[in-house]
Amino acid sequence: MATAEQRTFASVAVSLDGFIAAPDGSMGWLHDVMRRDEDYGLTETMARGGAVIVGATTFRESLSIMVGAGGPSSPTLVLTHAAPEAAPAGVTFCAGDLPALVAQAKASTDKDVHVFGGGETIAQLIEADLLDELTLAVAPVILGEGTRLFATPVTRRRLALISCRSFPSGIVLLQYERAE
Amino acid sequence: MATAEQRTFASVAVSLDGFIAAPDGSMGWLHDVMRRDEDYGLTETMARGGAVIVGATTFRESLSIMVGAGGPSSPTLVLTHAAPEAAPAGVTFCAGDLPALVAQAKASTDKDVHVFGGGETIAQLIEADLLDELTLAVAPVILGEGTRLFATPVTRRRLALISCRSFPSGIVLLQYERAE
């Protein structure tokens, strides 16, 4: 059941020069920095989200593997222009009507909606003014090249910083929300 | 007189998506966020630097105006491939030998060396392993397009976070140094 208080939120790890993936797509640059004793708010993120929106590429490359054969623990909406005929249990493939997608995600839970990525999906939701919160996990790494944070155009806008938290690894969480 | 303790440091303002200037070069996106009652460590930065290294474009577009006709308050080395015949008092034009440039800057002061920018000069010094500290002032703004933080190639490297400080405006200072 959708409520007025439900928020859409996204978290994404980024190098200090604004890349979210190396040219070959590998994430070693990030995993080498992360420490097992640092949580990066992930427990809170997972507890908070009652539904997931994810882009087709990210779903195929990571989420579908993570959730395995048992299906996802939360209703999962995959944004895609090429929906397969059969969807795994708990997974719905949706075309590009973003307001309808977000409304459907909110209707499937009383909790918040976790936009799992990738960067293109996050950018599209920001551009449609449908993302309430964006958290960047800034890694103390210069990548120099790779996939940009926003691979699709996002017009200039100001956000409001909600919180800033650093970890001994040097990773910094910057939590933003839509500016009023 | 150069000493072993002297450090080279650079500070640069960046949008949360990794741009240091809008496509037209204007900085209104940053000035609209900055507050008069927030210092962003600038007083400390100015006090700490005893010499300045600056790229030719940044010198021409901002520093030469700032310092005015009286010349700069600190010895200023301008990195350029097209040195004019006459240099203002206190200003030295230098070609592209970066180690010599840094050595010359350190020899001109007992204090640290402030790399004033722009992004290309900072990137070249990082790539040559000649920059000891890099501070990013991350503005709570998505620019979407413009000049990238590192316009010239920088190979992948890890830095160490020294400090993280946020301001009510939403600007966050991320201070990094070379990782050991």
Side-chain angles (χ1 to χ4, degrees):
Chain A
M1 165 89 91
T3 71
E5 293 74 28
Q6 285 177 294
R7 299 182 71 126
T8 54
F9 69 93
S11 308
V12 59
V14 61
S15 69
L16 67 88
D17 52 342
F19 296 99
I20 59 175
D24 64 359
S26 66
M27 297 300 288
W29 60 275
L30 178 62
H31 298 149
D32 288 348
V33 173
M34 293 173 72
R35 294 187 187 175
R36 289 183 185 280
D37 59 344
E38 297 179 356
D39 172 69
Y40 312 116
L42 289 176
T43 304
E44 185 189 352
T45 296
M46 290 307 166
R48 179 182 172 191
V52 171
I53 290 175
V54 61
T57 306
T58 303
F59 178 76
R60 189 175 59 244
E61 292 181 353
S62 61
L63 198 61
S64 65
I65 300 160
M66 286 168 57
V67 301
S73 56
S74 300
T76 298
L77 286 77
V78 182
L79 183 62
T80 179
H81 296 296
E85 287 186 17
V91 176
T92 307
F93 292 95
C94 307
D97 183 343
L98 294 176
L101 177 74
V102 170
Q104 187 177 348
K106 286 184 174 177
S108 72
T109 180
D110 291 327
K111 298 164 79 176
D112 289 338
V113 175
H114 183 190
V115 180
F116 192 79
E120 190 174 334
T121 298
I122 294 172
Q124 287 175 352
L125 288 167
I126 291 173
E127 192 61 12
D129 201 26
L130 289 168
L131 192 73
D132 298 310
E133 286 181 31
L134 174 66
T135 297
L136 301 182
V138 183
V141 172
I142 296 173
L143 266 184
E145 58 180 344
T147 305
R148 294 284 175 194
L149 171 56
F150 301 128
T152 60
V154 177
T155 51
R156 189 189 302 193
R157 70 196 62 215
R158 184 164 170 180
L159 303 183
L161 184 74
I162 306 175
S163 72
C164 168
R165 187 174 160 209
S166 66
F167 294 84
S169 61
I171 291 175
V172 178
L173 291 188
L174 302 177
Q175 185 185 18
Y176 298 97
E177 67 180 354
R178 189 191 285 109
E180 295 306 319
Chain B
M1 167 89 91
T3 71
E5 294 76 27
Q6 284 177 295
R7 300 183 72 129
T8 54
F9 68 94
S11 308
V12 61
V14 63
S15 68
L16 68 85
D17 52 340
F19 296 99
I20 60 175
D24 64 358
S26 66
M27 296 300 287
W29 60 274
L30 177 64
H31 298 147
D32 289 348
V33 174
M34 294 173 72
R35 294 188 186 172
R36 289 183 185 279
D37 59 343
E38 297 179 356
D39 171 71
Y40 312 116
L42 288 174
T43 304
E44 184 190 353
T45 296
M46 290 306 167
R48 177 181 173 192
V52 171
I53 290 175
V54 61
T57 305
T58 302
F59 178 76
R60 189 175 60 245
E61 292 181 355
S62 63
L63 199 62
S64 65
I65 299 162
M66 287 167 58
V67 304
S73 56
S74 299
T76 298
L77 287 75
V78 182
L79 184 62
T80 180
H81 295 295
E85 288 187 13
V91 176
T92 307
F93 292 94
C94 307
D97 183 343
L98 294 175
L101 177 74
V102 170
Q104 187 177 346
K106 286 185 173 177
S108 71
T109 180
D110 290 327
K111 298 163 77 176
D112 288 339
V113 175
H114 181 190
V115 180
F116 191 79
E120 190 174 333
T121 299
I122 293 172
Q124 287 174 353
L125 288 167
I126 291 173
E127 193 59 15
D129 201 25
L130 289 168
L131 192 73
D132 297 310
E133 284 181 35
L134 172 66
T135 296
L136 301 182
V138 184
V141 173
I142 296 173
L143 266 183
E145 56 180 347
T147 305
R148 295 283 174 193
L149 171 57
F150 301 127
T152 59
V154 177
T155 50
R156 189 187 302 192
R157 70 196 61 216
R158 185 164 171 179
L159 303 183
L161 184 74
I162 305 175
S163 72
C164 169
R165 187 174 160 209
S166 67
F167 295 84
S169 62
I171 291 174
V172 177
L173 291 188
L174 301 178
Q175 185 184 19
Y176 298 97
E177 67 180 356
R178 189 189 288 107
E180 295 308 318

